[in-house]
Amino acid sequence: MRAGDPATTLSYPLERPRRLRRTERLRALVRETAVAPSQLIYPLFVVPGEGVRREIETLPGCFHLSADEVAREAHAVEQLGIAGVILFGLPAGKDERGSQGYAEDGVVPNAVRAIRSTCRDLLVVTDVCLCEYTSHGHCGVLAGSEVLNDPTLALLGRMAVVHASAGAHVVAPSDMMDGRVGAIRRALDDEGHTDVALLSYAAKYASAFYGPFRAAADSAPQVGDRRGYQMDPANRREALREVRLDIEEGADIVMVKPALPYLDVVRAVREAIDVPVAAYNVSGEYAMVKAAAQRGWIDEERIVKETLLSIRRAGADVILTYHAKDFARWS
Ligand code: PBG
């Protein structure tokens, strides 16, 4: 063997990694990572009314659903073995302070009740954020062009309590205000919801990958953008700080969002902390796959399986994904 020859290593021919790749049985025996529907959460968009089931243009295969239809969809999701659903609401009306977001008969609490009375043990997670409910589309209360941090916390606390009272198992704040995890935990505990878990969007980046969601949820900011509260895509260390703060404030699960462009962050968070880690395979990631698949440019099933596997391999315990139903059917 010639030293320095890149084609030969000291271990070959004794070591032959291909031995363990020869058959599917062998490959399965030594496979390091798996994805199961029980690790997935499927997003649903709730609208007012009855009997509404309208496909969302920017998210092919996903629908705007009224509470009765959400319950039917959730039942199908449960049958597929998927862990749970996360609910986003499109209210009948919006105002400056997003008051429909914490109304007891709002679209989301109504949907939570409908799901809980239809499904046996499907997990119901609710997104806690004002942006779908405010007329200006920002995630907090506005003063001029400034999103006010502390006045927003009380409203998020109220929203979480309303969701918990309707029967949500988990509330998931996605607003990125400082201190909101602690404020929501206190609000829940004060109302006796000590068992409702908190999944925080801990490292949520100001990302272009949310575009199709904002069209679906009608939640794009009317003026400005979210860079004053969501994280700078250039930062990794800061994610660890955000995660640490959220855990100190009481987060039970911490999330990194988006997933694919931030797998290094998922890995860093996984190694730094010991609570479960979630990753959100967001709307833009999904829409790109769907668009290419519709043109016949990619093999959708293989792309989706590889995508979800890579997010798990990076260290995520839980994945929020619009592919959940397709994946569960294929697996
Ligand atoms: C609400 C929220 C957003 C998403 C989840 N919760 C949009 C945003 O922050 O602009 C994005 C989800 C997706 O793109 O799939 N704040």
Side-chain angles (χ1 to χ4, degrees):
M1 204 173 296
R2 272 168 301 137
D5 182 345
T8 44
T9 69
L10 287 175
S11 58
Y12 173 83
L14 289 179
E15 286 216 40
R16 291 175 182 268
R18 287 184 55 189
R19 280 184 197 125
L20 297 181
R21 298 182 197 136
R22 283 176 58 225
T23 73
E24 178 50 26
R25 284 276 169 167
L26 277 167
R27 292 189 291 271
L29 181 71
V30 298
R31 189 161 291 139
E32 299 174 34
T33 314
V35 188
S38 62
Q39 297 157 331
L40 306 181
I41 295 177
Y42 184 60
L44 292 177
F45 295 87
V46 195
V47 298
E50 233 189 278
V52 184
R53 183 180 170 88
R54 256 192 331 264
E55 190 163 21
I56 300 171
E57 204 186 325
T58 54
L59 294 171
C62 299
F63 297 81
H64 282 136
L65 303 163
S66 52
D68 54 325
E69 291 288 331
V70 162
R72 277 171 40 148
E73 182 79 357
H75 186 69
V77 170
E78 180 168 54
Q79 299 293 359
L80 286 166
I82 294 164
V85 291
I86 179 165
L87 303 182
F88 297 95
L90 285 88
K94 306 192 187 213
D95 58 34
E96 284 280 301
R97 295 172 62 80
S99 57
Q100 276 303 309
Y102 36 93
E104 277 168 25
D105 63 348
V107 279
V108 166
N110 283 345
V112 172
R113 283 184 285 266
I115 295 171
R116 290 302 309 273
S117 63
T118 312
C119 295
R120 201 164 51 86
D121 55 10
L122 184 75
L123 295 175
V124 181
V125 185
T126 58
D127 186 82
V128 173
C129 187
L130 290 176
C131 67
E132 294 128 54
Y133 305 95
T134 51
S135 42
H136 45 72
H138 278 288
C139 301
V141 179
L142 269 196
S145 60
E146 186 72 15
V147 177
L148 301 179
N149 194 88
D150 297 9
T152 301
L153 302 183
L155 304 183
L156 295 170
R158 280 173 68 179
M159 186 184 291
V161 167
V162 166
H163 293 174
S165 302
H169 300 95
V170 182
V171 294
S174 66
D175 54 286
M176 289 301 276
M177 297 301 118
D178 294 331
R180 94 279 206 206
V181 171
I184 289 171
R185 186 70 269 164
R186 275 191 298 281
L188 289 171
D189 290 356
D190 285 350
E191 296 296 324
H193 298 298
T194 50
D195 292 336
V196 170
L198 222 153
L199 186 173
S200 81
Y201 289 69
K204 177 172 177 176
Y205 288 89
S207 173
F209 284 86
Y210 309 149
F213 171 96
R214 290 184 190 168
D218 184 26
S219 67
Q222 299 301 304
V223 184
D225 55 47
R226 302 211 205 291
R227 283 180 291 188
Y229 40 106
Q230 298 182 346
M231 282 178 56
D232 186 329
N235 295 352
R236 189 169 68 104
R237 284 193 305 267
E238 189 187 359
L240 298 178
R241 181 167 183 232
E242 283 282 5
V243 162
R244 178 173 53 75
L245 290 170
D246 281 8
I247 294 173
E248 282 169 10
E249 290 177 32
D252 299 290
I253 304 175
V254 290
M255 183 149 70
V256 175
K257 180 187 172 199
L260 284 185
Y262 298 87
L263 290 185
D264 59 322
V265 179
V266 174
R267 168 53 50 192
V269 169
R270 173 67 292 158
E271 284 173 7
I273 52 106
D274 57 8
V275 305
V277 175
Y280 200 142
N281 176 218
V282 300
S283 58
E285 301 171 51
Y286 174 84
M288 293 193 300
V289 170
K290 280 289 177 189
Q294 282 171 354
R295 285 164 179 74
W297 291 350
I298 55 168
D299 178 334
E300 184 179 3
E301 178 173 339
R302 289 190 56 203
I303 290 269
V304 169
K305 287 181 170 173
E306 189 174 331
T307 297
L308 299 183
L309 190 68
S310 70
I311 298 170
R312 290 268 303 141
R313 195 189 59 237
D317 302 289
V318 177
I319 305 173
L320 282 68
T321 179
Y322 303 93
H323 295 296
K325 283 176 63 187
D326 287 336
F327 177 84
R329 283 196 210 98
W330 292 327
S331 58

